[in-house]
Amino acid sequence: MAQPPNIIILTPPSAVKCLKNALERHDKLDKSTKIGRIRSEEDVNDLRIHDNFALDRLIDNGYCRIPTLLHPPSTTPSSIAPETPFSTLDNLIPSLEIPTSLFPSIHLALRIQPSSPTESPLLLPNSTLATKIPRLHHAIYTFLLSLPPSTLPLPLPIPTLLSLLPTTYTIYPPLLLLPSHTFSTPPWPHLLTTTLHPHLPTLYTHLTHTFSTTHLALSAPIPTPSNPLRLPLHLTPLFPPTFVHPTRTTPVLWATTTQHTIHQTFAPQHTMFSRGNIREKHRLLHLPTLSATHLRTSPARTTAVDLFVGIGYFAFCYLKRGVGHVLGWELNGWSVEGARRGAGANGWGVRIVRDDDEDDSSSSSSSNTGTKLIDDGDDDDDDTRLLLFHESNIHATRRVRCLRASGAIGPVRHVNLGLLPHAREAWGVAVEVVDEREGGWLHLHENVGVGEKEEVESTKGEEKIGIEGRKRKGAGEKAISQRKEEVVRGLEDLAGGTRAVQCEHVERVKTFAPGVVHCVFDVWIGSVESVSHYYH
């Protein structure tokens, strides 16, 4: 017979002593378990809360849980209706001489001890706290409960199995992407290859249905050695088993996402997508140098160049800000197609130029060619704003000069180089394409080694930690300052002393790895007589 569930009293700290003394007087305090503070949902995952009391209120008000030896009249947890007020439940507790003034702040819960591997100490489904259970855990929990008896017993209780899973996931419609280590902690690998193996299609179908997706995969870090296109070579499709049609090379799946109201599209098995770039995208959408004040003309009369355009990570931000034309270079054909689809989803006209397309740049008709590239967009109207070159960016200087000579585009005032760990091989091209007369800004992405991690725990030895934290932060600032000087010197050498070079801002985008910071260096480059007023 199942052990009757114990009652757990949830109370504010101010009432802990009074309740503890009352329980001790009646030998109803469970001394085998300590009284504990509720700090997160993990502290209540073994409880079924009787009433609708939000978890954040328990945490914010510092509630504590007091274990008791009390049991409800029935061993069936559902006998305690969630809508029942506390005052009608005092018959569950003997006369403990508890002041009635405490009743409004006290809440009851049942602590369930699993008597079989299929029982789980989860919250009541109709409790507000049920929504606080990690959604991924709840989905897998319901799958495990549906298993046929032949699969039992499982090697560990379900709550323990769930605790070995991550709680995070990402949805790029229609793809549900799980962390690479989702099923890597024992005994999960063994379970998936033995007991649960016949039921994996059911599990994967259940997960996609739960999250309203059609595809499921495990993510993986992008390998960098011998992978210049940053292909997601180790992404593992789970459902369906492959994202590629068996007789065609066209991917079955195109995933989408929206950041800052900008739509983007990518093929998960052929192109990477970095959520961490959202900070830099936000900055570009509010960048002062994209305003008419700094440009000294309407943004619509200017051009931006992205030498590593990808699926349009940053190029779309320039278009959103109203830049007239954006020219992008990309070697990965899947990224080019993703950028084309994304631009269409945002309503921007786009044209793709292959590396073997004739532009007659060396002939007398070069001026006509530039106009043709812009005019022949997806529609009959002259609405092409994004020009994608599926070729190496070493051709960018020739392409830009051709288009400028024809009057098809305005002056290039911004050049983006978003390749990590750096894009120094393309610096020369960036210096050449930025408008010589008007000048412009280069946005150079680089990984900077700052030594030890600058994030410092502040929970122990506050004074010492504070000193160490300042030292580490100082070391990081020094490394970035040194890199800034290197960037300026390198660009000055490429400019040959004929143009002014000034690094006006360094943006820390994100921590790329322990001790490595992804930075963007905003560098003004123009005529010696020119003066930039950015950040001044």
Side-chain angles (χ1 to χ4, degrees):
M1 182 178 294
Q3 175 72 25
N6 287 23
I7 290 177
I8 304 294
I9 298 178
L10 307 180
T11 177
S14 59
V16 168
K17 185 176 181 180
C18 177
L19 291 170
K20 177 177 178 289
N21 291 340
L23 290 166
E24 285 181 325
R25 285 195 301 270
H26 293 80
D27 294 324
K28 294 300 181 182
L29 179 67
D30 183 1
K31 296 183 180 181
S32 67
T33 305
K34 292 183 178 180
I35 297 174
R37 183 82 170 267
I38 299 175
R39 303 181 186 276
S40 67
E41 66 179 87
E42 285 76 13
D43 295 325
V44 295
N45 271 349
D46 63 338
L47 303 181
R48 293 190 179 183
I49 310 298
H50 128 71
D51 56 2
N52 293 320
F53 195 69
L55 175 62
D56 55 355
R57 291 180 61 192
L58 291 174
I59 297 174
D60 293 344
N61 291 286
Y63 265 65
C64 299
R65 48 182 289 168
I66 302 178
T68 79
L69 299 176
L70 302 169
H71 308 292
S74 168
T75 59
T76 304
S78 59
S79 64
I80 303 180
E83 65 275 5
T84 306
F86 185 91
S87 59
T88 65
L89 291 174
D90 56 358
N91 63 317
L92 298 178
I93 304 177
S95 178
L96 298 178
E97 301 173 3
I98 298 176
T100 56
S101 60
L102 295 181
F103 278 22
S105 62
I106 296 175
H107 299 269
L108 294 183
L110 295 182
R111 183 169 183 266
I112 306 301
Q113 297 287 351
S115 58
S116 74
T118 59
E119 289 184 3
S120 173
L122 296 175
L123 305 178
L124 285 171
N126 54 357
S127 167
T128 300
L129 288 180
T131 62
K132 297 299 182 179
I133 301 172
R135 192 177 178 192
L136 180 61
H137 285 194
H138 189 269
I140 296 177
Y141 161 69
T142 55
F143 158 74
L144 293 175
L145 288 185
S146 70
L147 291 173
S150 59
T151 62
L152 303 177
L154 297 173
L156 292 173
I158 289 179
T160 305
L161 289 173
L162 295 178
S163 70
L164 302 175
L165 299 173
T167 60
T168 59
Y169 57 88
T170 306
I171 295 178
Y172 297 122
L175 172 66
L176 170 61
L177 195 59
L178 302 180
S180 58
H181 62 281
T182 298
F183 299 110
S184 63
T185 303
W188 278 104
H190 180 71
L191 272 176
L192 296 186
T193 56
T194 55
T195 305
L196 298 182
H197 188 265
H199 308 284
L200 289 184
T202 303
L203 169 61
Y204 298 155
T205 302
H206 177 64
L207 288 173
T208 56
H209 176 75
T210 299
F211 290 91
S212 300
T213 60
T214 60
H215 291 66
L216 174 68
L218 292 176
S219 64
I222 303 294
T224 52
S226 305
N227 186 25
L229 298 185
R230 303 294 193 271
L231 302 178
L233 300 176
H234 301 317
L235 182 138
T236 305
L238 297 179
F239 182 82
T242 176
F243 293 169
V244 180
H245 192 280
T247 60
R248 299 196 305 268
T249 57
T250 303
V252 173
L253 177 67
W254 284 97
T256 62
T257 188
T258 301
Q259 294 179 325
H260 301 306
T261 72
I262 297 176
H263 307 296
Q264 293 189 300
T265 303
F266 65 104
Q269 280 194 296
H270 301 280
T271 54
M272 63 171 288
F273 182 83
S274 175
R275 298 178 64 193
N277 288 324
I278 190 170
R279 175 188 177 119
E280 178 62 7
K281 293 175 183 177
H282 179 270
R283 191 177 76 96
L284 289 180
L285 290 172
H286 300 85
L287 198 65
T289 55
L290 284 170
S291 66
T293 301
H294 284 80
L295 294 171
R296 299 186 296 277
T297 187
S298 169
R301 296 183 178 181
T302 69
T303 300
V305 167
D306 193 334
L307 293 177
F308 302 91
V309 69
I311 63 170
Y313 287 113
F314 306 116
F316 288 1
C317 295
Y318 292 107
L319 292 170
K320 185 76 171 180
R321 281 294 301 270
V323 172
H325 294 100
V326 175
L327 280 54
W329 274 262
E330 178 58 45
L331 290 173
N332 187 345
W334 297 108
S335 296
V336 173
E337 175 61 15
R340 185 193 70 80
R341 293 180 180 225
N346 289 287
W348 299 317
V350 58
R351 166 73 186 268
I352 297 176
V353 181
R354 311 292 178 184
D355 56 0
D356 56 353
D357 285 356
E358 279 292 334
D359 71 344
D360 297 326
S361 58
S362 61
S363 70
S364 58
S365 61
S366 60
S367 60
N368 294 330
T369 302
T371 305
K372 183 176 184 297
L373 288 177
I374 296 297
D375 286 349
D376 286 356
D378 288 346
D379 301 319
D380 294 335
D381 298 331
D382 183 9
D383 65 349
T384 301
R385 294 185 59 201
L386 177 62
L387 196 56
L388 298 170
F389 293 94
H390 185 194
E391 63 184 11
S392 169
N393 55 33
I394 62 174
H395 303 294
T397 301
R398 174 173 57 89
R399 297 282 199 183
V400 169
R401 288 175 178 171
C402 171
L403 290 165
R404 283 289 288 142
S406 71
I409 63 172
V412 175
R413 304 300 306 281
H414 285 268
V415 182
N416 204 84
L417 295 91
L419 182 66
L420 294 176
H422 63 78
R424 301 198 174 197
E425 293 81 1
W427 282 10
V429 174
V431 171
E432 291 172 345
V433 299
V434 73
D435 193 78
E436 292 186 16
R437 180 172 176 272
E438 299 292 339
W441 291 265
L442 311 184
H443 305 286
L444 312 176
H445 293 236
E446 296 216 354
N447 281 345
V448 181
V450 295
E452 297 181 73
K453 289 183 67 176
E454 297 182 23
E455 295 77 17
V456 180
E457 295 290 339
S458 59
T459 55
K460 35 186 183 176
E462 291 186 5
E463 183 176 351
K464 180 180 178 181
I465 290 295
I467 294 173
E468 291 299 315
R470 288 191 291 273
K471 287 182 179 179
R472 294 181 188 181
K473 184 174 182 180
E477 294 293 347
K478 183 177 180 181
I480 293 174
S481 178
Q482 290 174 343
R483 180 65 62 86
K484 175 181 174 180
E485 294 175 0
E486 292 177 15
V487 167
V488 171
R489 285 197 302 268
L491 293 174
E492 285 177 339
D493 291 342
L494 291 170
T498 61
R499 307 174 78 178
V501 177
Q502 179 182 353
C503 184
E504 299 179 327
H505 177 69
V506 180
E507 181 72 15
R508 292 177 172 223
V509 178
K510 63 180 182 292
T511 299
F512 185 84
V516 180
V517 178
H518 172 189
C519 296
V520 178
F521 297 84
D522 293 341
V523 182
W524 163 263
I525 182 167
S527 63
V528 176
E529 298 80 15
S530 65
V531 178
S532 168
H533 298 286
Y534 187 25
Y535 295 109
H536 298 292

